Amino acid sequence: MTQNLTLESIGRLAGVSRSTVSRVINDQASVSPDVRDRVKEVIRLTGYAPNLAARSLVSGRTGVIGLVIPSRVHSLFEDPYFARLIQGISAASNPSGNTLSLFLFQNEEEESRLYPRVVTPGFLDGLVITATRMGDPLLARISNGEIPVVVVGRPDADGVSYVDVDNRGGAALAANHLCSLGYQRIGMIGAPTGTTAGADRLTGFVEGLAECDRVLQRNLREDGDFSESSGYEAMKKLIAREPDAVFVASDTMALGALRALKEQNIRVPEDIAIIGFDGLAPDRSSPILTTIRQPVMQTGSRAVELLNDLISGALAAPISEIMPVELVVGDTCGANLPEPRRKGSANEP
Amino acid sequence: MTQNLTLESIGRLAGVSRSTVSRVINDQASVSPDVRDRVKEVIRLTGYAPNLAARSLVSGRTGVIGLVIPSRVHSLFEDPYFARLIQGISAASNPSGNTLSLFLFQNEEEESRLYPRVVTPGFLDGLVITATRMGDPLLARISNGEIPVVVVGRPDADGVSYVDVDNRGGAALAANHLCSLGYQRIGMIGAPTGTTAGADRLTGFVEGLAECDRVLQRNLREDGDFSESSGYEAMKKLIAREPDAVFVASDTMALGALRALKEQNIRVPEDIAIIGFDGLAPDRSSPILTTIRQPVMQTGSRAVELLNDLISGALAAPISEIMPVELVVGDTCGANLPEPRRKGSANEP
DNA sequence: CTGAAAGCGCTAACAC
DNA sequence: GTGTTAGCGCTTTCAG
């Protein structure tokens, strides 16, 4: 079948030199229409495709961008967040002619062993790194610019380009929503504060409460690890402390929280209001979860776009961008209940 | 920093020729120990890494394997199944020195546009394709062996290598489990029969029921599309027809089914038994789901191993392998309830 | 055991 | 407009 096809052999078949074939392939101007057509026909007939290795050897570009998912978030990989993110990254890679390589490190050992390969110039054109953790050792090694990198999420290092979502603003939105509905004993199930997303959502929520002259009571906060079961466990602990509303820092954890409540026959939103974060579980809960939606796919796509700009030199690092979030009102906060929510009941010193 | 490092420059630094450096790098015997040490030291100091493009230009190998996820299953990408599969594939790729490229096609158009690139020799060493659908156009174009391919799942084409799980056997196990517990009105929420997995699970379940002299009543079967909400909807329809046990062909759909039941205050397993398939939601439901566990990660890893054998020529296509599944008894079938389940009640013409 | 030389398939000056 | 010619960095004979 298709084999041994080279510029040279195509040229021979079309009766031209290899340079001309190269010009046709790269859509360069200086080729007469008839020659161009003839060459294209031969290419079509033979099914010739240029050898990428040879091409990248001379051009210095590989056409490959890498997506690195560090080992510590590995266990979270099953959160639909990553599926969406990958979809967004893939969607933006294909049109730009890039191939996406996935680096899913199993553990620290593998990470440090394979890491050199990932940042070595000539292997990848650029890198997207998901960095949900603070003090990422990978980031430290990148700053000195071996290869263009864009981080998804806020890195806690300077000089690194990134795309983040407005975690603080979104969490504040959640706080305001709960306040405006009259809830009094407002709690939170947080994400790990060792991740910038977790830290930012906590900060934002506290700030949002402050805008309504409220504070987040110490005993009304539990943290999870982004998993469904951690949300379930956290909510079981909170129930005894009787919050009337809880902000859960991820939808997956919120599903766990709802499960815990249903198990105890606590009604949502009548007995307790729940608001999530992510916007990833639109129809997976009964009642439908009120949440803060972040544009996950777009975040991934935007990261690739910025990376392409970095690679082409159109932009110089570091650059950053914050994606907007929005409140999506569902049924778990009682916003749509006919009568206004409790206002000013529930007192506690 | 690190730049322009080539075999030549390393050789100069170490006072040897580029051939010798190449031999050291490729661990070839004929190099004297002292020279080898000297060269290695220079490599360490400079941080030199071979240019992969040049290497693959001469070797004909790229060290890259592709994972293709066709557009029709794209919407299902968020099922944790794919996350696990990717983990397995990635886990097996790294040690074998391969890089994993992900081809997540958004739609048919993109699929056929990018497809040539994917099967063109010289771009990828091999391909893993998830083929949950029948009549896959990609598979048709592959059979004539342009590039080594291993399919995950049973392809409905001949001559294609694949790794599948024992869907039929597993579904039969589920049927036997329900029969042995004495259930009478046994229903099923199936996966799309346009996927080989869906078809095989249906076949196996019917066969399993037959072993207990039962048939799957027409009106006790509804099909979903692997999504949580489709499981929810299917169960809502089934409820009125009063099955006392339901086999749900995927855990994700089973979670939806459980949600529908909880919403109607139907108790599991007291009022109805539920058994899933996949083993992906170990602690995500209350009560804990009884299910048929398939080794998803291992399936992915095995696919890569077979692919490597195909690439190296150690094995010749087509080859195939069926991974075993197992029954995991949870709390949704009442297997652990103190008293034996109802035996022989519920009559209907 | 080591070096010299050829060549993988392509792009990009540089001629004509 | 088109062909000729150098390499890109590497592996691999082939000499020595």
Side-chain angles (χ1 to χ4, degrees), chain B residues 163-174:
Chain B
V163 179
D164 196 13
V165 297
D166 188 7
N167 286 311
R168 277 173 71 168
L173 266 181

Side-chain angles (χ1 to χ4, degrees), chain A residues 284-326:
Chain A
R284 293 196 90 174
S285 67
S286 317
I288 292 173
L289 188 63
T290 291
T291 191
I292 305 297
R293 177 160 55 209
Q294 59 164 320
V296 185
M297 283 191 52
Q298 289 95 315
T299 301
S301 295
R302 196 74 192 106
V304 172
E305 289 167 12
L306 291 185
L307 184 59
N308 278 330
D309 288 342
L310 247 34
I311 292 171
S312 71
L315 255 40
I319 48 182
S320 64
E321 206 163 303
I322 306 292
M323 307 292 283
V325 299
E326 61 177 332

